[in-house]
Amino acid sequence: MQLWLCPLIAFLLGSIPFGLLIAKAKGINIREHGSGNIGATNVLRVVGKKYGITCLLLDALKGFIPVLIAINVIRISSHSPLMTFDFPEGWILHIPAAEALKGQIAHILTALAAVLGHNYSPWVGFRGGKGIATSAGVFLALMPAGLGVLIIVFLIVFITTRYVSLASIVAAAALPMVTLWGSWHHGRIQDGTWNKPLFVFTVVIGLLAIWKHRSNIQRLREGTENRFTRKAKSTHV
């Protein structure tokens, strides 16, 4: 039951359009303003900083919570979850080390379902955000150290260019390489125990994130993409 229930919960949780709900609470239809996207970046631009940050955190939790649950209720005997919860024993499916691939696939399907739920939410006509925040939540549960590297990559590009979209695209492109580096660094590739479903997932998520940014890529090429700039302080004489 856990093998199909975890992805289902992930999709339903991921599909909650927090950006749309937050903006609606302020009397704004976020799909009619800015880029029309329901993600945190557009909420920040249109509704305000604190609402954008709230949306960012909630969208990240949509990815983090279901994957963390999956890792804890579908347990591979040779691996210990970084964060454990005391679920009733009857809820936990124990996967022997020899069948680790089955557990890894279940974890990755849960992660993918969360991102797809956000990107193609049935509550908004199977449309949604670009999945960056939700993907960050997923990778916080799956590979927290790798996420830290990606955040550094994102910040370097963003601080240098002031383009959120470009920073997101570069981080998405770097995702599979960071995953491979982590597996090699920990000796998992050398001994054949590396998480192959995770690598495939990072390729899929990276390509999906870049595809969802195709309109941003066009605007970047045309020089019309919105750039975050610091507001100048007003002076009073």
Side-chain angles (χ1 to χ4, degrees):
M1 181 179 68
Q2 293 91 330
L3 295 177
W4 62 263
L5 188 58
C6 285
L8 176 61
I9 292 173
F11 183 84
L12 293 175
L13 185 58
S15 70
I16 301 173
F18 283 119
L20 183 69
L21 297 174
I22 290 171
K24 189 174 182 180
K26 300 297 293 182
I28 299 171
N29 184 349
I30 194 66
R31 289 176 292 180
E32 296 177 354
H33 298 272
S35 65
N37 192 274
I38 66 171
T41 301
N42 200 38
V43 172
L44 186 149
R45 284 197 183 105
V46 175
V47 188
K49 183 177 179 180
K50 67 178 181 179
Y51 301 102
I53 293 174
T54 300
C55 182
L56 176 71
L57 294 175
L58 290 173
D59 282 348
L61 286 173
K62 293 193 305 186
F64 177 72
I65 291 174
V67 174
L68 192 63
I69 290 174
I71 290 172
N72 274 274
V73 301
I74 305 172
R75 294 195 181 183
I76 302 171
S77 60
S78 57
H79 298 80
S80 298
L82 293 176
M83 288 174 276
T84 59
F85 293 95
D86 293 326
F87 287 104
E89 184 60 31
W91 292 17
I92 300 173
L93 174 64
H94 293 280
I95 305 288
E99 299 177 15
L101 183 63
K102 182 197 296 186
Q104 291 170 346
I105 290 174
H107 298 160
I108 296 309
L109 287 178
T110 301
L112 180 61
V115 177
L116 291 179
H118 174 78
N119 288 3
Y120 304 101
S121 172
W123 314 118
V124 287
F126 291 95
R127 300 176 64 186
K130 294 183 172 69
I132 299 299
T134 303
S135 295
V138 160
F139 289 114
L140 178 61
L142 289 173
M143 40 181 258
L147 176 62
V149 174
L150 292 171
I151 290 174
I152 292 172
V153 171
F154 177 93
L155 290 175
I156 289 173
V157 177
F158 173 67
I159 292 171
T160 303
T161 67
R162 308 303 295 179
Y163 288 120
V164 172
S165 59
L166 182 59
S168 299
I169 292 166
V170 173
L175 177 56
M177 293 181 285
V178 170
T179 306
L180 274 180
W181 175 83
S183 297
W184 175 84
H185 179 72
H186 290 97
R188 297 293 178 83
I189 291 180
Q190 295 89 325
D191 64 16
T193 62
W194 64 298
N195 193 330
K196 299 176 184 69
L198 175 60
F199 174 69
V200 173
F201 174 66
T202 60
V203 173
V204 171
I205 288 300
L207 291 175
L208 181 61
I210 294 171
W211 170 253
K212 293 288 284 185
H213 280 86
R214 61 193 183 279
S215 60
N216 302 88
I217 293 172
Q218 183 63 33
R219 289 195 295 271
L220 285 166
R221 294 176 61 184
E222 295 171 352
T224 58
E225 177 70 332
N226 290 323
R227 188 195 298 259
F228 267 93
T229 57
R230 296 183 180 89
K231 293 182 180 179
K233 294 181 180 180
S234 59
T235 57
H236 301 276
V237 180

